[in-house]
Amino acid sequence: MSVLEIRDLHVSVGEGDDAKEILRGVDLTVRSGETHAIMGPNGSGKSTLAYSIAGHPKYTITGGTVTLDGEDVLEMSVDERARAGLFLAMQYPVEVPGVSVSNFLRTAATAIKGEAPKLRTWVKDVKSEMELLEMNPAFAERNVNEGFSGGEKKRHEILQMRLLKPGIAILDETDSGLDVDALRIVSEGVNRSREEGQVGVLLITHYTRILRYIKPDFVHVFVNGKVVEEGGPELAEKLENEGYASYVKTAEVAQA
Amino acid sequence: MTDQNTTGLTTESAVLAGELFGEGVGTQAGPPTTPADSTAVAPGAHSHGGTPTGSPAERFTSTDPDAFGVPTGREETWRFTPMKRIRPLLDGAASDAKLSWTTDLPEGVELARVDAGDPLLKGLPEPVDRLAALTRQNAGGADVVRVAQEAQLDRPVTLGLAGTGSEDVVWGQLVVEVGAFAKATVVLDHSGLAKYSGGVTVLVGDGAQVTLVTVQEWAPGAVHGGQYDAVVGRDATFKQVVVTLGGDLVRLVSNVQYAGPGGSAELFGVYFSDETQHQEHRLWVDHAVPNCSSNVLYKGALQGEGARTVWIGDVRIRPAATGTETYELNRNLVLTDGARADSVPNLEIETGEIVGAGHASATGRFDDEQLFYLCSRGIDAETARRLVVRGFFADVVQHIGVDELQDRLMATIDARLGALPGLDEQPVEVA
C-alpha cells in the first residue's frame, strides 16, 4: 500500500533572473489501486510535475512537499526515489549506447530489489512480459532505446514498469505518438499492473484517447501549473467534447 | 589544468550535400591545397573544407624518409605528438629486433616472407610521413598474409605480436592480401613492451569482405607508431576496428583508398587514455571513384592528469567520386579534470553529386540525461556512470564480431573502470 502526497508544490526552471515558475502550488494524492489522469494543454506543466517527482536536476523545488508513505521524497536522490517505489515512464526515453536491454533491466531489477533476481525466474518473467507486450525476443539484445521506434520506446517503458513493480507509476504522455495497436498493447500492460492492485497510477496525457483503454478513477485538469478542476471519469468526457479553451481563458483572466 | 576543449564543450555539425549544392551541380567546394602549417586552429574547430585544418588536398607521399625532412614537432602531422617520446622511432636506427609472434592461421591462409625487392612492395600505397618511410625502409621486406580467392575462413586469422622488452626499435611491414570474394577477419593483437613501428597494408580483392582488428594492449612504457593502408577493391567491404588501451604512446595513421566503384569502408576505433598515455589516431579516407561509402566511428575516454588523445578524421571526395556516401563521428568522454582530447574532423567535397556527407565531433562529460534515465530505474549514480562508460565502449567493441576477443577487451575496460557490482552473471540471454 503506497500513498504519494503532493502538497502546494512550487517548481521553477532556470536560475537567477532567468528562473521561471512552472508549477504554482500543486496538490494531489495518489494511493495504490487508484488511477489518476492529469489532463491539460501543452505547456501547462504536466511533464514538469512528472520530472520533479522523479527528481530531474533541471527542476528546482521552490516550495511545498512530496511524500511517499510519509517519507520525504524531495530529500531523496533520483535512484533512492525509484528504490522507494516511484516509477516514471518517460515521454522521450534516452538512448544509452552499448548497454543492452537485458543488461539494463537486470541491473535495474537488482537495484530495486536489493539483490540479483534468480536467473531462471527472471528470464522467464522478462520473456513472458515481452510476449504480452508483443515485443520480439531479439529486442533484449539491442541497445537501450537505440534506434527504437516511438512505439518500441513506449513498450520498453511499460516493460520496465511491469518488471520493476513500482508502488506509484507516473506515465508521462505514454500515449503520444502511438498508433491504435500500440496504444492498445501499452494500455493492456498498464491494466495488468492495475489489476494486480498494488500500483497507483498517475497518467499524464494531453488527449482523452488513452482513457478509453485505461479507465481513470479521478481526472484532474491541469492548467498553468496547477490543478484547476477535479472530478471523475465524466470530466474526461467533458474535455473530449469541449477541450481546454474555457479553462485556459479563465487562467488567463486570473493571471491578468 | 583543463583545456577548453576537454570539458563541457560540445560541437556538432552535419552537412548534407543537398544543403551545400544545388541538384546536379558539380560545384567545387573550395579549397585549399596548402597544408596548414599554422597551429591557429581553435579548440574543437572543424571545417567543411573552407579553412585549413591540416589536410592538404594532395598528400605528399614517398618511400624516401629524407623526402620528408626531420620533423621538429611544428609540422601539421606532428604538432600533436610528444616529440621526445616518439624520438627513438624517428631516429630511425636500423635494428634486428623482432616482436615475438604467435599465429593462428585457419585453412586457406598462407603466411610468407618477401624481401625488399619484391614487386608486391612496389605496388603498395606509399608512406605519408617520415616515420612510415623509415619503417618501410628498415623493415627490409614484408610478412605477407594471403587469403585465397573465395576462401571462407572458419575463424579469424590471429597474429599475436608481443614486445620482448628490447630497447632497440622493432621495424615491421605486414601485407594482408585477400583474394576476390573471400571473407576474412584478421586480428593483430599487440602486447608486451616494445618500441615498435609497423606498417600494415590490406589489399581487399574485388567483392571480398575483410575485417582488420588491431588491438594495442601494450605494457606501460611501450611506444607504437604505424601506418595502416587499405586498398578496397570493386564492390568490396573493408572494416577496421582499432582498439588502443595500452602503451605510453600510440600513434596510428589509417588510410583508405578505393580501387574500384562500389567499395565500402567502415573504420571503428576505441581508445582509453589514462594519465601519461598519449593516443593518437589519424584517418584519411580518399574517395576518388564513384559509388563508394565510408563510415567512421571513433570513441575515446580519458581519465587522469595528463591523459591525452588526438583524433584527426580527414575525408576527401574528389570530383570523380560521384555517388559517395560518407559520415564520420568522434566522441570523447572526459572522466576527470586534467585530461585533454583533440578532435579535428575535416571534410573536403569536390563534387555535389553525392549521396551524403557529414561529420560530428563532441567532447564532453557524462550525458546527464543518460544518467538520469538509469538512476530513475533505481541504479545508483556510480553504477550508472560505469554502465554508461562501459556502454560507450561496447558500442564500438561489438563491431569486432569475435566474441572471445570482445569479452577479453571489455574485461580489460571493466578492470580499468572498477568492477560493476551485481553484474557478474552478465550477459543474460532472453531467448
Side-chain angles (χ1 to χ4, degrees), chain A residues 51 55-56 78-79 82-83 87-88 90 93-95 97-99 102-104 106-108 111-112 119 123 126 137 140-141 143-145 156-157 160, chain B residues 299 367-381 383 387-388 390-392 394-395 398 421-431:
Chain A
Y51 280 88
H56 195 287
V78 176
D79 51 306
R83 292 199 295 272
F87 179 86
L88 170 61
M90 299 190 198
V94 298
E95 294 181 2
V99 177
S102 66
N103 188 346
F104 165 64
R106 210 168 108 81
T107 307
I112 297 275
L119 201 55
V123 169
V126 173
E141 297 316 315
N143 293 331
V144 170
N145 292 319
H156 180 229
E157 293 294 288
Q160 294 167 51
Chain B
K299 292 173 109 176
D367 182 330
D368 287 341
E369 295 300 326
Q370 288 180 355
L371 292 180
F372 174 73
Y373 188 74
L374 296 173
C375 290
S376 78
R377 287 358 180 192
I379 300 167
D380 66 87
T383 306
L387 212 50
V388 167
R390 191 183 195 279
F392 180 82
D395 189 37
Q398 65 199 8
L423 291 180
D424 359 8
E425 293 172 60
Q426 300 294 343
V428 177
E429 298 294 328
V430 186

Side-chain angles (χ1 to χ4, degrees), chain A residues 89-93 133 135 139 145 148-161 172-178 182-183 186 190:
Chain A
M90 299 190 198
Q91 185 179 2
Y92 304 111
L133 288 163
M135 299 166 83
F139 202 87
N145 292 319
F148 287 16
S149 69
E152 286 172 334
K153 284 183 183 169
K154 298 303 172 72
R155 285 175 214 213
H156 180 229
E157 293 294 288
I158 299 306
L159 174 66
Q160 294 167 51
M161 188 197 77
D172 186 21
E173 310 227 6
T174 296
D175 52 335
S176 68
L178 295 186
L183 182 62
V186 160
V190 175

Side-chain angles (χ1 to χ4, degrees), chain B residues 265-267 283 285 294-298 311 315 327-330:
Chain B
E266 289 184 295
L267 306 178
L283 285 73
V285 181
S294 58
N295 181 39
V296 175
L297 173 64
Y298 267 66
W311 178 85
V315 175
Y327 193 78
E328 51 174 358
L329 175 62
N330 177 227

Side-chain angles (χ1 to χ4, degrees), chain B residues 184-198:
Chain B
T185 294
V186 178
V187 178
L188 308 181
D189 196 353
H190 300 101
S191 63
L193 179 60
K195 292 184 169 58
Y196 175 56
S197 187

Side-chain angles (χ1 to χ4, degrees), chain A residues 1 13 18 80 109 125 193 210 228 234 242 256:
Chain A
M1 189 67 190
V13 289
D18 294 330
E80 285 169 347
D125 288 351
S193 287
I210 194 172
V228 295
E234 73 287 348
E242 300 173 16

